[in-house]
Amino acid sequence: IIKVLMIEDDLELAQIITDYLKSFDIDVTTTDSPYNGLSMLDLNKDYELLILDLTLPEIDGLELIPKIREKSNIPIIISSARDDILDKVMGLERGADDYLPKPYNPRELQARIKTILKRVDSKSNSNKSQENQIFELKESDMQIVFKNIPLNLTLAEYDILKLLIQRNHGVVSREDFIYTSDNIEDDSSLKNIDVIISRIRTKLSNIDDSKQYIRSVRGIGYQLI
């Protein structure tokens, strides 16, 4: 189910849109208050798209877009009866992804939601693919390549970096490193993991010192960033 937030002060229209999109597995939450909408975006990170009216109480939709962009990259479709080309240009320049003039057929709105989310998903997958190319794991050779340069790792270092890569940016506890590695003694102290991580960081920084690729997570362990 796709979760959509709609900021719209025409409650009748909002209900029509909500009922129509429900049949396409699109769950719409509506509010007629722009400031309430901002709070809802803060509290619920599951919203995948925002439908935004321009003529709103409290603050104009065009003024609201920059405030949204300060905290979220959520795709925005402007839904407005204002057909001034300047409103459209300003909306798109301030960060909206599409502009749908009222009145419109809900079927067109559904098609635009589908198109935008497909494009966003494709871009996200492309970014993930680029991120994954930073590290290349060659398990058959017990080799890890970082930015096209093979790393000279000890067996313990290999096991730790391999697990970080496999967790795909998830946090790995120090205990997990010990329990999943055949090359780290079960009775090793957790401090030994910190020492090994430090050595890996040094080897990565010898290739690229522009950022730290392994982040410490206080009280838990480490993750790739």
Side-chain angles (χ1 to χ4, degrees):
I1 293 179
I2 298 169
K3 292 187 177 296
V4 170
L5 177 62
M6 186 175 195
I7 304 176
E8 169 65 67
D9 66 344
D10 185 336
L11 300 182
E12 183 179 353
L13 173 64
Q15 190 60 55
I16 291 171
I17 295 299
T18 299
D19 292 342
Y20 180 82
L21 293 180
K22 188 180 296 182
S23 63
F24 293 92
D25 287 332
I26 300 175
D27 179 28
V28 181
T29 302
T30 63
T31 178
D32 60 356
S33 165
Y35 287 116
N36 188 42
L38 279 176
S39 298
M40 293 166 73
L41 281 176
D42 269 340
L43 295 172
N44 190 341
K45 304 300 183 183
D46 292 334
Y47 292 121
E48 298 174 60
L49 184 135
L50 173 66
I51 302 169
L52 176 66
D53 189 17
L54 292 186
T55 306
L56 294 167
E58 303 171 339
I59 182 174
D60 188 84
L62 289 176
E63 300 301 320
L64 187 64
I65 294 173
K67 295 181 182 298
I68 294 169
R69 282 289 169 256
E70 287 175 5
K71 60 182 65 189
S72 174
N73 290 321
I74 189 171
I76 300 172
I77 296 179
I78 293 175
S79 160
S80 177
R82 285 157 44 177
D83 58 1
D84 187 331
I85 186 63
L86 185 59
D87 282 334
K88 182 175 182 179
V89 170
M90 288 181 65
L92 296 174
E93 286 181 344
R94 293 184 179 194
D97 297 84
D98 203 350
Y99 193 105
L100 192 57
K102 299 175 182 175
Y104 55 81
N105 189 310
R107 179 71 180 84
E108 181 179 2
L109 175 61
Q110 184 271 333
R112 294 197 185 204
I113 290 173
K114 183 178 178 181
T115 298
I116 288 175
L117 291 181
K118 186 176 180 180
R119 184 173 71 238
V120 170
D121 187 55
S122 175
K123 183 178 179 180
S124 175
N125 288 335
S126 174
N127 288 340
K128 286 179 182 177
S129 176
Q130 291 176 8
E131 288 176 6
N132 290 340
Q133 290 173 5
I134 294 175
F135 290 95
E136 182 183 355
L137 181 59
K138 298 182 177 181
E139 292 190 70
S140 59
D141 300 327
M142 295 187 67
Q143 177 70 63
I144 296 176
V145 177
F146 174 61
K147 293 200 166 185
N148 297 318
I149 299 175
L151 292 166
N152 183 20
L153 303 171
T154 66
L155 291 177
E157 291 167 358
Y158 169 82
D159 285 347
I160 284 180
L161 187 52
K162 170 186 169 183
L163 188 56
L164 285 168
I165 293 170
Q166 290 175 330
R167 290 290 174 88
N168 193 25
H169 302 287
V171 178
V172 183
S173 71
R174 292 173 175 83
E175 291 84 357
D176 279 350
F177 288 126
I178 293 174
Y179 298 149
T180 58
S181 173
D182 293 329
N183 299 293
I184 302 175
E185 296 296 329
D186 289 344
D187 59 355
S188 291
S189 72
L190 300 184
K191 273 292 183 183
N192 287 346
I193 300 299
D194 297 336
V195 172
I196 297 172
I197 288 285
S198 177
R199 295 204 305 257
I200 296 172
R201 282 173 167 164
T202 298
K203 292 179 180 181
L204 296 179
S205 67
N206 287 339
I207 296 172
D208 178 11
D209 61 0
S210 64
K211 61 176 277 189
Q212 193 168 94
Y213 287 88
I214 302 176
R215 183 173 80 93
S216 302
V217 181
R218 187 178 179 86
I220 302 176
Y222 296 93
Q223 71 178 145
L224 280 182
I225 57 174

